[in-house]
């Protein structure tokens, strides 16, 4: 369900470092998912790199070489209209600078870069975003299941509840972006997944949860609640099922079907929260089923 734009090879592989430099002329904050060390994905031996524009992108753009040496700009399903527009611009500008032609996956006839930008205007990019959104709603409605869509920052979970509350594509991309970039534009603490091994050699995924910090939390089986109000002090932790947090804390906001934003629990209220939460504590690291 992705869509690709192709830049015809000018007789050699267009270096990834040149493409990234070109993107950053117009989009200075454009970022690679991979490392940018000289021994990393900017070397021509790599087959693909993945980029995004912070606060704007909903999906990574894949830039890759085809078997014939052409350059492929692959836009993923449910990429924002702005992601499509960046991809169109990049493909056209790359073809322009290297004096070659472009094509698309539905029209493999070589064309000049201006023709691509004419066909893929801002209106067409908006229309493509709408088509993706409608297809996503149809797919979720038909099977009633939640779809996990990889984003630049974290997975987005699209399910019946969240899509049932969204009427149009513009609102959908606003919701998607907020879920991806909330921790970039505020002081939210995006929790990191920790994996531990049980006595029975099973792995348990969890995130730490403490006082006085707002959290953006992707769905995990558990959170490890820090008893001490001061994160630098020892006080031990206990495990709480992730699904219990919305039951214990007011104003928890679902950013998608499963990802939650948890407002900060003030230090003064933390002991009372710990006392209530510990009544629901579990011991997943011990032997037995998880």
């Amino acid at each position: 369900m992705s869509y690709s734009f192709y830049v015809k090879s000018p007789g050699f592989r267009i270096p990834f470092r040149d493409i990234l430099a070109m993107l950053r002329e117009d989009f200075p904050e454009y970022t690679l998912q991979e490392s940018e060390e000289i021994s990393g994905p900017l070397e021509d031996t790599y087959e693909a790199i993945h980029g995004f524009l912070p606060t704007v992108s909903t999906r990574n753009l894949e830039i890759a070489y085809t078997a014939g040496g052409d350059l492929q700009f692959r836009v993923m399903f449910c990429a924002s209209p702005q992601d499509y527009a960046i991809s169109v611009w990049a493909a056209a500008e790359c073809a322009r600078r290297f004096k070659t032609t472009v094509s698309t996956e539905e029209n493999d006839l070589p064309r000049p870069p201006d023709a691509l930008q004419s066909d893929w205007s801002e209106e067409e990019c908006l229309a493509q975003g709408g088509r993706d959104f409608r297809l996503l709603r149809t797919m979720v409605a038909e099977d009633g299941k939640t779809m996990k869509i990889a984003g630049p920052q974290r997975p987005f979970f699209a399910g019946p509840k969240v899509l049932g509350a969204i009427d149009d594509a513009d609102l959908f991309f606003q919701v998607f972006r907020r879920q991806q970039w909330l921790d970039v534009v505020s002081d939210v603490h995006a929790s990191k997944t920790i994996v531990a091994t049980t006595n029975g050699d099973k792995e348990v995924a969890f995130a730490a949860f403490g006082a006085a910090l707002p959290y953006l939390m992707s769905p995990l089986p558990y959170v490890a609640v820090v008893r001490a109000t001061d994160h630098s002090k020892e006080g031990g932790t206990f495990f709480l099922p992730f699904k219990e947090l919305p039951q214990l804390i007011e104003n928890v906001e679902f950013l998608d079907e499963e990802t939650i934003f948890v407002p900060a629990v003030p230090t003064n209220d933390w002991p009372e929260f710990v006392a209530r939460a510990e009544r629901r504590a579990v011991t997943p690291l011990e032997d037995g089923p998880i």
Side-chain angles (χ1 to χ4, degrees):
M1 292 181 287
S2 61
Y3 194 94
S4 293
F5 303 96
Y6 298 94
V7 178
K8 182 68 175 176
S9 171
F12 56 88
R13 281 189 170 189
I14 300 171
F16 285 144
R17 62 176 63 84
D18 290 353
I19 301 164
L20 183 60
M22 179 192 73
L23 279 161
R24 286 179 174 165
E25 289 176 13
D26 271 40
F27 310 101
E29 295 182 352
Y30 203 83
T31 303
L32 287 189
Q33 197 77 55
E34 299 88 355
S35 166
E36 292 182 31
E37 295 298 325
I38 193 66
S39 59
L42 297 187
E43 287 290 344
D44 297 342
T45 52
Y46 281 72
E47 295 302 316
I49 58 175
H50 303 83
F52 59 87
L53 187 60
T55 75
V56 171
S57 293
T58 56
R59 302 296 309 273
N60 284 322
L61 168 65
E62 182 177 89
I63 306 171
Y65 300 115
T66 68
D70 296 343
L71 195 63
Q72 178 182 14
F73 291 86
R74 183 178 173 220
V75 191
M76 304 301 178
F77 178 59
C78 285
S80 71
Q82 290 76 13
D83 287 321
Y84 273 96
I86 291 170
S87 304
V88 170
W89 175 87
E93 185 64 15
C94 197
R96 199 173 283 120
R97 294 191 185 195
F98 287 92
K99 297 179 173 56
T100 184
T101 58
V102 289
S103 60
T104 70
E105 66 176 50
E106 63 183 356
N107 185 349
D108 60 1
L109 293 175
R111 70 184 91 171
D114 288 350
L116 177 70
Q117 290 181 294
S118 177
D119 291 344
W120 279 85
S121 62
E122 180 179 348
E123 290 73 19
E124 178 57 25
C125 291
L126 287 168
Q128 183 61 45
R131 288 190 284 269
D132 281 3
F133 167 66
R134 289 189 293 274
L135 178 57
L136 176 66
R137 287 191 74 180
T138 299
M139 293 166 64
V140 170
E142 286 179 349
D143 63 20
K145 296 180 181 178
T146 296
M147 285 189 63
K148 182 179 178 181
I149 304 172
Q153 293 291 92
R154 59 187 61 86
F156 182 88
F157 296 87
K161 287 188 297 183
V162 66
L163 293 181
I166 296 175
D167 295 329
D168 59 63
D170 182 61
L171 179 57
F172 169 72
F173 288 113
Q174 289 181 40
V175 170
F176 201 151
R177 281 199 188 94
R178 185 163 189 267
Q179 188 263 20
Q180 289 292 301
W181 303 110
L182 182 64
D183 55 313
V184 172
V185 296
S186 70
D187 295 325
V188 174
H189 179 72
S191 60
K192 302 299 182 183
T193 300
I194 303 167
V195 177
T197 304
T198 71
N199 292 336
D201 293 331
K202 295 179 181 178
E203 290 188 339
V204 175
F206 61 93
F209 182 64
L213 287 173
Y215 284 84
L216 191 157
M217 306 187 83
S218 292
L220 290 166
Y222 307 100
V223 294
V225 179
V226 180
R227 289 191 179 90
T229 56
D230 185 339
H231 293 239
S232 65
K233 294 182 178 179
E234 292 294 329
T237 61
F238 61 89
F239 283 98
L240 180 73
F242 178 87
K243 64 183 180 182
E244 298 285 352
L245 277 180
Q247 311 301 319
L248 291 166
I249 300 175
E250 292 184 0
N251 302 321
V252 168
E253 178 186 358
F254 280 83
L255 300 180
D256 58 22
E257 201 78 11
E258 300 182 23
T259 308
I260 59 176
F261 168 65
V262 186
V265 178
T267 300
N268 290 343
D269 296 338
W270 190 251
E272 188 270 337
F273 165 76
V274 168
R276 288 188 295 115
E278 202 153 12
R279 299 187 194 109
R280 307 189 188 194
V282 293
T283 54
L285 294 183
E286 295 180 0
D287 287 328
I290 298 175

